[in-house]
Structure formats: C-alpha cells, structure tokens
Amino acid sequence: MPGSPQSRTGRPPVQRAAKRPPAPRPPHENPVLRLYLRLRRAWDRPLTAYYLIFGGSALITVLGLVMVYSASQITALQLSLPGSYFFRKQALAALIGAGLLVAAMKMPVKLHRALAYPILAGAVVLMILVQVPGIGMAVNGNQNWIALGGSFQIQPSEFGKLALVLWGADLLARKQDKKLLTQWKHMLVPLVPAAFMLLGLIMLGGDMGTAIILTAILFGLLWLAGAPTRLFAGVLSIAVLLGFILIKTSPNRMARLNCIGATDPGPGDSCWQAVHGIYALASGGLFGSGLGASVEKWGQLPEAHTDFIFAVTGEELGLAGTLSVLALFAALGYAGIRVAGRTEDPFVRYAAGGVTTWITAQAVINIGAVLGLLPIAGVPLPLFSYGGSALLPTMFAIGLLIAFARDEPGARAALALRQPRFGRKRGTGGTGSKRSPRSWNTMRRRASAARSSGER
C-alpha cells in the first residue's frame, strides 16, 4: 500500500535534522601585519628606550673593541709596539668609561644640573691650556691635545661637547621655567656667545671636525627650545658663512672638500685616504673577508683604527657588518629622540636631545666621510673608534640617556616590578610555615584556572 515508508522493524524512519551550514572561518591574518603589530606593541613598551640605549651602546662598544684590536695590530707593529697595544689602551678607557656610565646612570637630575657649570669651566680651562707652549701638543697638525705623561693624552675639546650639552640644557630649562624663551634675546644670550667661545678655542687648534659637531649640538638645543624659523635661519647662515671662510682659506680643507666622491688618488695622492676607504668597503662583499683579514690596514689605509675604522669593518665583516653598525646607531638615535619627546622635565628634554644630536651627527659625519659622501672631517665614530678622550665623555653621555630613560613614569614602575626581592622570608611548605603574599596569589591563580577547566 502506498504510504509513508516503513523500516524493517515497522517503525517510521527517524527524521534527521538538516545539516547546518558550516560557520565561516575567520580570514587568515596577514603574517606581515601580525609581525608589524607585535613589533609595534613591543616598541611602545615603557622599557623599550632603556633597553635600546643600554643594549645598543654596549654592543657598539664591544664590537668597537674587537675592530680596534683587528685594525690597529699592523699600525702597532709598524711603530715597534706590541700588537695589542692600542686595544689595551682602548679597553682601559672602556673600563673607566663604564664606571662613568654607571655613575651618570645613578646620579639624580639635580646633580647633573649642578655639574653643568664645573664641567663647562673645566673644559674651557683645559682648552686654553692646549694653546700654552709646553703643555699643549699637536697631533696630525691639530693643536688640540694635552700630554698626561707617557703615552697618555687628552683632547679637551671632546669634553667641550658634554659641557655644552649639560650647561645649555640647564640654561634653557631655567629660562623656560621663567617663561623667558619667548624673547629671542633670552634664547640666544648667553647660549650662542658661550658656544662661539668654545668654537673659537677649538678652531685655534685647527680642529674643524669637532667644531662642526659642536655647532650641530648648538642647533639641536635651539631647535628643541623652539627657536623661530627666522632666528634659526639667521644663526645657521652665520655659521655657514664662517665655515665657508675657514674652508676657503685653508688649502688642506679645500683638498678634503675636493675628495668627495673621488675614485682616484689624484695628483700628489691628495685623495689617498678617501679612495682607499672606498676600496676597503668595495672588497668586503656581502659578509666580508673575515675578522682580521683586512688588506687595506697593512699600510694602505691611514688611520684605520680611528677615523676610518668603519671602512675596515666593511672589509672584514662586509655589508652585513656595516648594516648592523648602522642599525645600532639608528636604534640609539631613535631611543634618544623618544626619551626627549616623552619627558615633561625641560632639562631632561634638552639634555637628551643634545646628546642624541651629538652622537647622531658625529656618526653621520664619520660614516659619510668613509663612504665618500662628505669631506673627511677627522672625527671618530662614537663608541667605536679608537680614542679614550672621545670614549669617556660619550659613555658618560650614554649614562645620562639611560638615567633619563629609567626615570620615565612607566619605565620606573616596570623596573620596580622587576627588581628582585632580597631579604624576604619565603615559606618552606612545611606545617606552620607562613607563605609570602606572592606565592599565595600564585596559588589562587592556579586554583582559579583549575576550576575554570572543569576540575573539582
């Protein structure tokens, strides 16, 4: 009989529910976007600037020690000195500089401000003594050194950079507190005359490179102080005019200017150093010839362990090594800008901005000269090149940045949570033992997790 279909047992078949359409799967997130978001979250953490400054400067200094040892061996042997002579002196300077870094890192901001005037006065006195016969001495044609006895020398102009940063930051901060920076005369006086005094003492010794760095620090401070465009352009025009006159009246500086982009040593080998720096970089390839295997340092490249150590780095470590150095300096510069931009203390903002301008400008001028993009200014690569006089104030300045980065509200709270809790009694787990609040909170979290998973 026609009717509803019957099963073998005589019961009507079970009506099965219609299948639900599958739930739409969430679209796969772009891995590049996910990586970008993760890096951005890590970048915005409170301790990012602290770790970048501390880790970046430490890596640059350690890599610099390795490259100083590699690049200076031949020069030391040519001078009948032990192969590790320059490395040992640089290592001693780095050890002293580490002490200065820690001291600057532990000092409160008030003490930094109190040291501004003594450091400035000491730097001025030392730069005056450089010009006194019998005290000052000339190195490579520049009268900018004082002999300390034996093989130790000091270059006071390097400490002039630190003095201008601290003193200028304190001066501008005090004037900002009194609402005086809105007047151009208070913005320029006495900052610009004092900076020109330091520049004059430096130029008496013929050190054009250090004078350029000091000028960059001055403009950095004026920029942070909010100098009007007309005022900024006026001071910049005066500086450019003075620089043009100083370069035009010096055959040596004109020869350096003519070596920009040179590919041939030229008549009289006037561009020998610039060209052999390019040769060193070009022969390094992607990963270099190997640590210690440089050819140019065997007497072909002058100042291989000081001004042109970046060229030896490119020859021995290749493009990968040079890009790593550039990345470290870029991270250091970014962290300094971040510290200066996030603080509410005007002194911290000016000091952090001044130190960042100093290190970044000096690195750009040194690397630009090695690449043939800028004239050879004779300035070392910060934290990297050989030279204790340059290393000591730079490491103290890095200690300033670290102290400022740690003093940010978010960073201070994060560091307080990560400090080890010494001297607290912890429970042993036996009967009658008293557990610490931290362990009790941990047990509560574990118990809550167990209950949420269905356990009883």
Side-chain angles (χ1 to χ4, degrees), residues 213-235:
I213 305 301
L214 214 67
T215 306
I217 295 173
L218 172 62
F219 285 127
L221 291 174
L222 290 176
W223 182 271
L224 291 169
T229 306
R230 291 179 297 174
L231 182 63
F232 196 82
V235 178

Side-chain angles (χ1 to χ4, degrees), residues 123-268:
V124 171
V125 170
L126 289 177
M127 282 191 281
I128 293 175
L129 291 178
V130 165
Q131 307 303 324
V132 177
I135 298 179
M137 59 181 299
V139 176
N140 295 331
N142 291 339
Q143 184 80 15
N144 281 312
W145 296 83
I146 295 178
L148 298 180
S151 60
F152 292 96
Q153 305 164 353
I154 187 173
Q155 187 176 4
S157 58
E158 294 291 341
F159 294 89
K161 304 172 187 177
L162 178 63
L164 181 60
V165 168
L166 287 177
W167 178 78
D170 178 69
L171 175 69
L172 293 175
R174 286 188 290 107
K175 290 198 172 190
Q176 181 173 333
D177 292 338
K178 297 179 181 179
K179 311 294 183 182
L180 296 176
L181 290 182
T182 55
Q183 307 176 31
W184 66 268
K185 60 180 181 180
H186 284 288
M187 184 173 292
L188 295 181
V189 181
L191 177 63
V192 174
F196 279 5
M197 177 190 64
L198 294 175
L199 289 171
L201 291 173
I202 292 173
M203 290 306 301
L204 281 177
D207 191 355
M208 186 73 177
T210 304
I212 294 174
I213 305 301
L214 214 67
T215 306
I217 295 173
L218 172 62
F219 285 127
L221 291 174
L222 290 176
W223 182 271
L224 291 169
T229 306
R230 291 179 297 174
L231 182 63
F232 196 82
V235 178
L236 182 61
S237 301
I238 296 174
V240 170
L241 179 61
L242 293 176
F244 176 78
I245 295 173
L246 291 173
I247 293 175
K248 195 69 176 178
T249 55
S250 174
N252 182 33
R253 298 190 186 109
M254 282 298 300
R256 292 186 179 186
L257 189 65
N258 293 331
C259 291
I260 296 178
T263 57
D264 185 84

